[in-house]
Amino acid sequence: MTQPAFHDDAGAPADEARIQSDITAACRVLARESDGLARLAAALRAPAVSDEPEGITPLGTAFARAVDAFSTLAGRVIVTGIGKSGHVGRKIQSTLASTGTPSVFVHPSEASHGDLGMIQRGDAVLALSNSGETAELADIVAHARRYGLLLAAITAAPDSTLARAADIALIVPKAPEACPMGLAPTTSTTMQMALGDALAVVLLERRNFSATDFGVFHPGGRLGTRLRRVSDLMHRGAAMPLGTPDIAMRQVIMEMTRKAFGCIGVVSPDGRLRGLITDGDLRRALDRDLDSTLAADIMNPTPLTTGPDVLAAEALRLMNARARPITSLFVVDAAGLPVGILHIHDLLRAGVA
């Protein structure tokens, strides 16, 4: 198939050299930002050395202190920054909050006009400024010092006002910005955001934050759908097609027809699920007498089941794992008692399948 040609505003085909020049420039940006991330990783791994400049804590040591401080914090992490650092700070705060670290973003200018009241005892401040000399941060920094709040900073300037004021200074390494003038925040903001992501993920792992916890904070959208549990979708109580081992095939057919799941669970006198009869089992037994053949005679004594706390996506995988996929799955508790039944249509309606 012929690819459509690019055209300029006059309708003429775009110059191939110009296209390649644009792609080369884009790749240069990615290479410079990738180099920045490599420098950041190297700085995190670098051990402390005896001739470290006075007052400069290695990034890895500072990072470990920040993790320890934020993981045991009684209050919230107050993230702040302005300009490009502010945009990055909002993203870091959002990631922290969604992965189990209570946090809030406070705009420095708004803080100076009343929002300092949002910052309470027990909170910690994480301030972002590449230069470390952002004047708008002064009031938040002074507030943190006045009330003895932990102040952490992400900056590229170890001798800056912000770095000197901070209890924990996360000094990102120097790296060229990706723009040809070396002015537009590009590589520096990429490193800030990556360091924030690293902090959030390490805190997540420190807290043993699970997929279940993640789902609590993401109930909407596709992610929320993927994290729904079987218990959210299953049919309960009288909706379940159930019978005892001693009922006749005629009764089995009637119960299956009434409940319309294409199967019936066979339960023992103590209520435990002991077997399963599907419409396929019935078809294979149609040459038998409907009144003398019992459920126990035709049931599958080892039915596939799942638990109520299993992810709906995992239940779907179980249903499709067999050579002949199944459409209904009984849900049993730890004692083997049926507590629900899940149909493939339930998963389709929920957007899981």
Side-chain angles (χ1 to χ4, degrees):
M1 179 177 178
T2 303
Q3 294 294 321
F6 292 98
H7 290 77
D8 60 21
D9 292 339
D15 180 69
E16 181 66 26
R18 190 180 71 211
I19 295 173
Q20 290 305 316
S21 176
D22 292 342
I23 292 173
T24 299
C27 290
R28 184 182 65 245
V29 171
L30 297 179
R32 287 186 178 177
E33 296 197 357
S34 177
D35 176 67
L37 293 178
R39 295 187 189 199
L40 182 63
L44 272 171
R45 294 192 187 97
V49 294
S50 58
D51 61 347
E52 200 79 52
E54 185 178 355
I56 305 300
T57 302
L59 180 57
T61 302
F63 184 87
R65 290 177 182 172
V67 171
D68 285 339
F70 291 164
S71 65
T72 58
L73 197 63
R76 304 155 302 165
V77 177
I78 307 298
V79 184
T80 189
I82 202 164
K84 303 299 187 295
S85 291
H87 293 306
V88 172
R90 287 184 184 276
K91 192 274 178 186
I92 292 173
Q93 180 274 318
S94 178
T95 302
L96 287 169
S98 70
T99 53
T101 299
S103 60
V104 64
F105 182 85
V106 175
H107 193 284
S109 296
E110 298 297 335
S112 299
H113 294 275
D115 279 3
L116 282 176
M118 298 171 62
I119 307 174
Q120 306 170 358
R121 295 188 187 277
D123 291 341
V125 174
L126 176 62
L128 283 74
S129 170
N130 192 52
S131 70
E133 300 295 343
T134 304
E136 290 87 350
L137 292 175
D139 288 337
I140 287 184
V141 170
H143 184 81
R145 300 298 75 188
R146 184 180 304 118
Y147 289 98
L149 307 182
L150 176 78
L151 174 62
I154 297 179
T155 179
D159 295 325
S160 64
T161 301
L162 179 61
R164 291 197 304 270
D167 299 298
I168 302 171
L170 299 160
I171 309 299
V172 298
K174 294 288 187 180
E177 299 289 7
C179 85
M181 298 173 293
L183 299 175
T186 46
T187 307
S188 58
T189 50
T190 297
M191 290 193 292
Q192 284 180 338
M193 187 172 296
L195 189 60
D197 285 344
L199 186 60
V201 171
V202 172
L203 286 166
L204 175 156
E205 293 181 357
R206 177 75 71 88
R207 289 191 171 91
N208 294 317
F209 195 78
S210 67
T212 301
D213 300 320
F214 203 74
V216 170
F217 296 125
H218 298 78
R222 180 64 180 167
L223 180 58
T225 297
R226 288 173 54 195
L227 295 175
R228 295 186 75 175
R229 301 279 165 179
V230 167
S231 58
D232 298 328
L233 304 175
M234 69 186 188
H235 302 265
R236 308 167 185 264
M240 292 186 290
L242 297 172
T244 57
D246 57 355
I247 64 171
M249 270 183 59
R250 188 181 299 278
Q251 295 170 277
V252 168
I253 294 171
M254 292 175 62
E255 177 71 357
M256 286 179 62
T257 302
R258 281 194 299 266
K259 302 298 173 65
F261 283 97
C263 67
I264 178 174
V266 181
V267 294
S268 57
D270 62 3
R272 298 171 188 269
L273 187 70
R274 294 304 185 196
L276 181 75
I277 301 173
T278 66
D279 52 6
D281 296 321
L282 281 180
R283 286 194 298 272
R284 287 186 288 273
L286 284 178
D287 58 343
R288 302 191 185 192
D289 182 75
L290 294 181
D291 295 309
S292 62
T293 303
L294 305 181
D297 299 329
I298 60 172
M299 73 179 189
N300 170 12
T302 57
L304 182 66
T305 62
T306 190
D309 294 327
V310 171
L311 288 174
E314 173 62 15
L316 176 63
R317 188 194 67 77
L318 290 174
M319 295 169 83
N320 288 327
R322 295 188 171 184
R324 298 183 63 182
I326 61 176
T327 58
S328 293
L329 190 63
F330 265 97
V331 184
V332 299
D333 63 15
L337 301 173
V339 294
I341 186 170
L342 185 68
H343 195 276
I344 188 67
H345 289 166
D346 304 318
L347 298 172
L348 289 168
R349 282 190 293 268
V352 177

